[in-house]
Amino acid sequence: MAAVWAAAFPVVSSLGPHRVWGASACVGYLCAAVAVLSRRSLGRAVSVWIAGIGAVLVPLVVLVLTGGAQSEVGVVERAGLLTVRQGTPYLADPQAVVEVTPYLPGMALFGLPGAVVADGWEPLRYLGDARLWCAAAFLGCLWAAGRVLGGRGTGRLVGAALIASPVVALPLAVSGVDLPLTGLLCLALALAARHRPVAAGLALALACSLKWTAWPALAVVAALLAHRSGLGAAVRGTGVAVAGTVLAVLPSALLAPGPLVEQVFAFPTGRGEWETPAASPLPGRLLADLGPFGWYAAMTLLAAGGVAVAVSLWVRPPAGLVPAADRLAVGLCTAFLLAPAGRFGYLALPVLLSVWARLAEAPSRVAPARSRVVAAGSAARPVLVGGDR
């Protein structure tokens, strides 16, 4: 199925980077399917690595070397350069849609390496590609989340299979800007599930300083902390998250308040001077295309969906990692579907959250059964007391 899905991109996509990824990934997935059908014991492991090479490594290297990328990669790199030069990632008077920065200031961090090597040795400039740093942040967050969960998270083979899957491989190769956000949300959920409210708040602060689409996670993580660690822990975690986000955004809010509001909030919702390229025919977008009444209807439905998720968190707070990830995924799906502007690709984020949570918690479901076997074996041994030794 992955090979068929990838094969459609060179045929139907109008984006060059997507066509490059589709051609390479299709070959990789087909070769992986052949390998997994092998009767050798290493067939499954080999197939995962083949898929990773074809769907991630090859297209990423080709696109980085040729400069092929979705427009947001250039936006992030320019944001890093502007931050170095003027202290804020926003142009005061953008002349084209590609000069709009629809991200919060934290996203500029991934453009800073490009700003550092911009005038350096030519081969060294490739290391400034924002995708490489977005991928490093994502993988680092998943590794850290696995450690937080006691090292029981996704094993190497399962983790590699997740990365090689289309839901991760495609954005990693062509764009990558949503991956750090996803990784930080996974880390925040893992920390909250393990009773670490301050650390969860710090991870949330980093996520919320990248894109405001991470803000619904504040309510989910607070509900998870309140249920598992108490109200005090929820207050501490939320306080750290809010304070950290404010500190990250405040400099740009003071230096360029107008451009920040116009580019970060008005532009993505279809109310800015420039029309957003996020124009997939999702319900919210279709409503917004009907005119002002349709836009207000979409925003009303979006608000109603947010209220419904908030009520569900109050009535039935998530008790663990998987329920919390699912609740956050539902909230994000609602937002992406009903927002006045959006892309189908945005839905990869909630899908990845739910899949990762299940993979990360899967080993813990086996542990109780194994413990019962060990306990039964111990109970069957004779107990030696006194002179029977």
Side-chain angles (χ1 to χ4, degrees):
M1 288 299 295
V4 173
W5 193 73
F9 279 82
V11 178
V12 303
S13 179
S14 60
L15 301 176
H18 283 209
R19 293 197 296 269
V20 170
W21 178 85
S24 178
C26 179
V27 174
Y29 291 141
L30 287 175
C31 292
V34 173
V36 81
L37 293 176
S38 170
R39 294 187 178 181
R40 299 176 182 178
S41 59
L42 295 179
R44 183 169 298 178
V46 170
S47 70
V48 170
W49 292 110
I50 290 175
I53 292 171
V56 177
L57 183 61
V58 170
L60 179 60
V61 170
V62 169
L63 291 172
V64 168
L65 294 179
T66 60
Q70 289 185 195
S71 60
E72 51 262 37
V73 176
V75 170
V76 171
E77 292 173 355
R78 187 193 65 246
L81 188 61
L82 288 173
T83 300
V84 171
R85 291 178 177 177
Q86 63 183 30
T88 176
Y90 308 106
L91 288 172
D93 186 24
Q95 299 300 309
V97 67
V98 294
E99 295 183 354
V100 174
T101 303
Y103 310 117
L104 287 166
M107 189 66 78
L109 291 175
F110 301 102
L112 292 181
V116 172
V117 302
D119 299 323
W121 183 40
E122 182 66 30
L124 192 61
R125 295 181 189 176
Y126 295 121
L127 296 178
D129 194 296
R131 281 170 295 188
L132 301 179
W133 302 98
C134 288
F138 171 71
L139 297 176
C141 286
L142 290 192
W143 175 84
R147 299 290 293 178
V148 168
L149 294 170
R152 301 176 307 162
T154 58
R156 291 182 180 179
L157 185 60
V158 176
L162 178 64
I163 295 168
S165 66
V167 73
V168 175
L170 174 59
L172 194 153
V174 305
S175 171
V177 298
D178 284 329
L179 293 179
L181 174 67
T182 308
L184 286 167
L185 292 180
C186 291
L187 179 57
L189 289 170
L191 289 165
R194 291 298 180 267
H195 312 284
R196 297 174 63 178
V198 174
L202 290 173
L204 268 183
L206 291 173
C208 292
S209 67
L210 300 180
K211 298 179 71 174
W212 57 266
T213 50
W215 293 358
L218 287 169
V220 176
V221 171
L224 178 60
L225 284 171
H227 184 81
R228 292 181 64 85
S229 305
L231 183 59
V235 172
R236 290 196 302 274
T238 304
V240 169
V242 172
T245 303
V246 170
L247 288 176
V249 175
L250 187 60
S252 289
L254 295 176
L255 291 172
L260 187 151
V261 173
E262 175 70 19
Q263 298 179 40
V264 177
F265 298 101
F267 171 73
T269 57
R271 305 300 284 182
E273 179 181 354
W274 303 96
E275 183 177 356
T276 172
S280 296
L282 297 170
R285 174 70 187 199
L286 296 176
L287 280 173
D289 287 343
L290 299 177
F293 176 80
W295 186 87
Y296 285 111
M299 294 300 292
T300 301
L301 290 174
L302 179 60
V307 170
V309 174
V311 170
S312 75
L313 291 172
W314 177 266
V315 174
R316 190 176 181 181
L321 178 64
V322 173
D326 286 346
R327 203 73 59 87
L328 180 55
V330 169
L332 291 173
C333 279
T334 301
F336 295 149
L337 290 173
L338 298 178
R343 287 177 175 153
F344 287 115
Y346 294 167
L347 297 174
L349 193 162
V351 170
L352 182 54
L353 281 172
S354 289
V355 171
W356 168 81
R358 281 164 172 78
L359 293 176
E361 284 287 85
S364 65
R365 299 193 189 105
V366 181
R370 183 179 178 184
S371 300
R372 286 194 296 270
V373 172
V374 173
S378 300
R381 297 174 189 161
V383 179
L384 304 177
V385 294
D388 292 335
R389 286 181 292 180

